[in-house]
Amino acid sequence: MSDITAGPVPTPTASRRAPISTTGPWAWARANLFSGWASTAVTLLLAYFIITWALGFIDWAFVNAIWSVPNNQTQACRDLKGVGACWAVITEKHRFILFGTYPYEEQWRPLLVCLLFIGLYIVSAMRRFWRAELGLIWIVTLAVIGVLMWGGVLSMSFVPQERWGGLPITLILSTFGIAFAFPLSILVALGRRSKMPAIKMICIVYVELIRGVPLISLLFMASVMFPLFLPDGMNIDKLLRAQVAIILFAAAYLAEVVRAGLQALPKGQYEAADAMGLSYWQKTGLIVLPQALRTVIPPLVNTFIGFFKDTSLVLIIGIFDLLTAGKTAIVEPAWQGFGVEVYIFIALIYFCFCFAMSRYSQSLEATLNNRRR
Amino acid sequence: MSATAEAHLASLARPDAPPAIVMDKVNKWFGSLHVLRDVTLNVGNGERVVICGPSGSGKSTLIRCINRLEQHQEGRIIVEGNELTDDLRSLDAIRREVGMVFQSFNLFPHLTILENCTLAPIWVRKTPKAEAEALAMSYLERVKIPEQAKKYPGQLSGGQQQRVAIARALCMQPKIMLFDEPTSALDPEMIKEVLDTMVGLADSGMTMVCVTHEMGFARQVADRVVFMDRGEIVESGTPTEMFETPKTDRLRLFLSQILRGH
């Protein structure tokens, strides 16, 4: 009890500052970069390579680069013979890379769609919007995105799905993919731990079957084989079929990640919830998942990032995502040979999204776990 | 339903009520290991029973059978007039009336102390949030830590966490409290604060079944001490009988071992 004290409390010895030589940038550099003659040699050698390469890259990418050319006259670029980047290909082709074959005058619509997606991500990432209304925001935004892409109403012309392309396709596939795969994966993970043998069996078979085949073969099945089983005259959109394949594939992987989190939760947590009389779904929703999902944020985001990039595999079934659009942009004879610039541009876009996910997961982990010891 | 700790605890005195717990020839196996052998034990209303015995004697398993964290395979267990069967509805009814405190506290680390205490009343008893919070605060005052209500379990000491766990169980306003070695995971200087809380609870007339090695506590509050060894009840009686004049060699050996340890 706090009110019982035995005599005066002794004053603790005042804490002193750490010796100056063990803190600060110089101490860090000495400990990590120059701790011996071998480490100093490696440091200097690597520094030489990094600086040489960086200077070379700056020369190529900025100093000698050509930023635009008139009327597809790429001769100026070709005269550089590789000493400078031809960013003119991006200046000229960025609309095609970003939006594919979407009608040129209507490309404000996919642009708006991309911005809506990014806005949706930002809103969803902020903890103060984590309320039931967020689900409504998602439904409304996704509906608006559908209207913008297809059109046909509000004096927007109709654009068939075959003409969609570029970044919106990548964002649609990955957003819908993760938005549906994640809840599905939670159900599958719970099912795998179910005491009911039938449910457990179905979930195990699902995970093992899907994990046992490459995503490419699943996409092939969705695009080539699946229509053969449909009755005559019935046709399901190709993008939708690929989307379903991606959802099923991602859910199988995510389910194993979620299951790891469920297994990491101490048994006592389940017992305490049981002893209180909470029902299965109350226990799962209030006690188990909030803790289990927190534990697996790093591998979850790892998988999300993987699937964001894996959506580029849809190119093999002829869907025009960001990467496919980039490849197609340099097919034109005038622009052949400038693949490096285009791929750097695309890589930058992918990197922005993936890096944002990674940073966000780190901060989320920190805020959610700061109260736990 | 009463809305304060005092009113709840005052309502517990029901001298004419049937026995709180009836266990009749209960048997349980873990695989081929026979962990409970023909255990017969009745706990009266308001009675305070301490179960002791060497580790592996089945005392935790016994107490965990009372709210079906473990399932018994033979015999009958009747709690507050409800028999424990596979029927989930009667199980829910029993778990509402039986609170449990664990050796390792098992507080929910992602919820505040107050949320830990109000979770079950709100979701299981459907108590309105404000009422559940008032009730939780009155129990937190009883266990002397109302000022920690907004903190998280990880920020509290072991003794404080265990007192929260007691308050959390009490918030469901149970008729019976089960304690499964509540002080075994605590540092020595924190054992007393938890035992004091339990003594206070015993004085209020709560039916208590407590697995513990704290013989001082048993002497102070127990109506009856039950000694278990190798899955069976070897001997039972008042604390004085048990500690002063043990009848069996097994109990004598056990007492000499734990007293030497103190």
Side-chain angles (χ1 to χ4, degrees), chain B residues 82-257:
Chain B
N82 291 307
E83 176 155 10
L84 278 174
T85 57
D86 290 329
D87 176 19
L88 287 175
R89 212 164 312 150
S90 86
L91 180 61
D92 284 345
I94 287 167
R95 283 178 170 168
R96 274 199 290 272
E97 303 304 335
V98 179
M100 187 159 198
V101 176
F102 299 86
Q103 178 175 354
S104 48
F105 327 137
N106 294 346
L107 294 179
F108 304 129
H110 61 302
L111 300 176
T112 64
I113 300 305
L114 189 63
E115 287 165 345
N116 263 280
C117 292
T118 55
L119 184 88
I122 289 174
W123 290 92
V124 180
R125 284 222 190 269
K126 314 287 178 207
T127 313
K129 190 164 178 246
E131 200 180 310
E133 284 181 353
L135 182 67
M137 285 313 293
S138 79
Y139 278 111
L140 288 173
E141 267 155 39
R142 251 193 99 81
V143 302
K144 300 194 174 64
I145 32 178
E147 70 282 359
Q148 313 281 9
K150 296 283 175 224
K151 290 195 182 166
Y152 286 84
Q155 298 167 304
L156 268 56
S157 75
Q160 290 174 322
Q161 289 194 46
Q162 192 61 300
R163 284 186 282 149
V164 170
I166 294 173
R168 177 177 75 174
L170 287 172
C171 281
M172 278 295 279
Q173 309 197 299
K175 297 197 175 79
I176 301 169
M177 283 285 284
L178 307 176
F179 293 86
D180 187 4
E181 306 208 27
T183 56
S184 301
L186 293 174
D187 291 335
E189 74 268 26
M190 293 171 183
I191 291 178
K192 187 176 177 306
E193 64 185 59
V194 171
L195 288 180
D196 285 346
T197 308
M198 290 167 63
V199 171
L201 187 62
D203 291 341
S204 70
M206 174 72 75
T207 308
M208 287 167 66
V209 180
C210 182
V211 173
T212 184
H213 296 293
E214 296 293 331
M215 291 305 133
F217 172 77
R219 250 178 226 277
Q220 192 181 347
V221 307
D223 297 310
R224 191 146 51 105
V225 175
V226 173
F227 172 65
M228 286 186 75
D229 191 17
R230 287 176 226 156
E232 54 192 357
I233 293 181
V234 177
E235 203 178 326
S236 77
T238 64
T240 323
E241 287 167 7
M242 297 286 282
F243 296 141
E244 311 293 336
T245 55
K247 294 187 197 66
T248 58
D249 289 340
R250 282 201 263 179
L251 177 54
R252 262 192 292 277
L253 178 67
F254 174 71
L255 288 174
S256 73
Q257 279 166 345

Side-chain angles (χ1 to χ4, degrees), chain A residues 160-199:
Chain A
Q161 184 264 304
E162 287 73 30
R163 299 205 54 186
W164 302 3
L167 187 57
I169 290 280
T170 298
L171 295 182
I172 287 171
L173 284 174
S174 45
T175 309
F176 279 91
I178 288 168
F180 283 93
F182 188 41
L184 179 62
S185 74
I186 291 174
L187 291 179
V188 173
L190 291 171
R192 260 195 102 155
R193 290 167 58 87
S194 166
K195 290 200 185 84
M196 286 175 264
I199 290 181

Side-chain angles (χ1 to χ4, degrees), chain A residues 226-227 230-236:
Chain A
F226 183 70
L230 289 177
D232 275 345
M234 188 180 167
N235 189 22
I236 297 180

